[in-house]
Amino acid sequence: MAFRLPAQLATVPSNGHSHQLAAVPAASSSLSWRRNLVPHLPLFSPSPPSSAVSCNAASAAAANLAPGTPVRPTSVLVVGATGTLGRQVVRRALDEGYEVRCLVRPRPAPADFLRDWGATVVNADLSRPETIPATLVGIHTVIDCATGRPEEPIKTVDWEGKVALIQCAKAMGVQKYVFYSIHNCDKHPEVPLMEIKYCTEKFLKDSGLPHITIRLCGFMQGLIGQYAVPILEEKSVWGTDAPTRIAYMDTQDIARLTFIALRNDQIIGKLLTFAGPRAWTTQEVIALCERLAGQDANVTTVPVSVLRFTRQLTRFFEWTNDVADRLAFSEVLSSDTVFSVPMAETYSLLGVDQKEIGSLEKYLQDYFTNILKKLKDLKAQSKQTDIYF
């Protein structure tokens, strides 16, 4: 699995900094994506441009060059900076004094809010590996929050793009790499997204990059659009009849714990799992939202058997394979599974008091209190501006 760097990017100075490229190890044969029809072969093997040289060749050419100016430990590249987790990582990094660069795909609506916060924004796309190297110049730490869009094939960004990013980071001398994965991904090889996450964990470990892998259970922020808003708007809330329990965590807490882990050299190379204080079923989350909103939810329950049937049906058509892959993940989330782990050891390792971690009750209570107050104020303003004839 040899990703190739353009020759002109073999060593690139930036603001007085330069990297001395290191050799990139070949991917382990055990890291083949299991759905590949040819066993023991890595899935990602892009065709390089004719003017390109391999990372190994580039590092050999750079071996005779004097080492560049050391990169500042505060220089961080956040990949997937506009996402639910990524934007909280950016905010936390800036608050703690890091120099933050955000890798963002070219998009019609520019990510101006990141610049407003004080971050630097660079355009690149993990699905186009040739755009990656320039974003890593002068970078000490990469924090990878990226994931593919719903309309994309899962493997394009989450496997091929991540392999290219890791190889580039290794070649350009990045000192630390943080990868966010999914809890229990090693237990569900039948689910493409979870299998890719697990294979990426192994690829990162075998790359030799100093890294931290953090498995996550679920984001509290995702519950706002899924349950809170539909209940307030009296729209249907979708759920399943499965007893799945998920220990949701606030992405602000995830970001804070991430930087605590980064400052602790004893954690480099470890696998951590972050989970919230309590695991919740879908029915419990809906009941909590109903109580805080002061109104009943219009719940539409989808039996797990329907998800399974739909997944099997979409497998018959090539153009619906990606839908089937995502339904496979939904099926796991709708099974009799607990997405949670005891956190006492992790808190002890990080030196964090469990009481500092926000609960789902407090998070949703704050949301509903704020939104209901705003709705009340808007209603009052509307009455004040009424004109009677």
Side-chain angles (χ1 to χ4, degrees), residues 182-188 194 215-218 242-248 273-282 284 329-343:
I182 300 174
H183 179 51
N184 282 337
C185 63
D186 53 326
K187 297 178 181 178
H188 294 280
M194 299 184 80
R215 292 183 178 178
L216 304 174
C217 297
T244 308
R245 307 186 74 87
I246 301 175
Y248 300 99
T273 299
F274 292 170
R278 174 190 163 185
W280 296 74
T281 65
T282 297
E284 289 172 339
F329 185 59
S330 299
E331 189 177 317
V332 170
L333 293 180
S334 303
S335 61
D336 188 6
T337 306
V338 178
F339 283 82
S340 182
V341 292
M343 287 289 290

Side-chain angles (χ1 to χ4, degrees), residues 17 29 42 47 58 103 179 302 322 328 349 381:
H17 299 284
S29 61
S47 300
L103 189 159
F179 173 63
V302 181
D322 296 321
L349 183 64
Q381 291 175 11

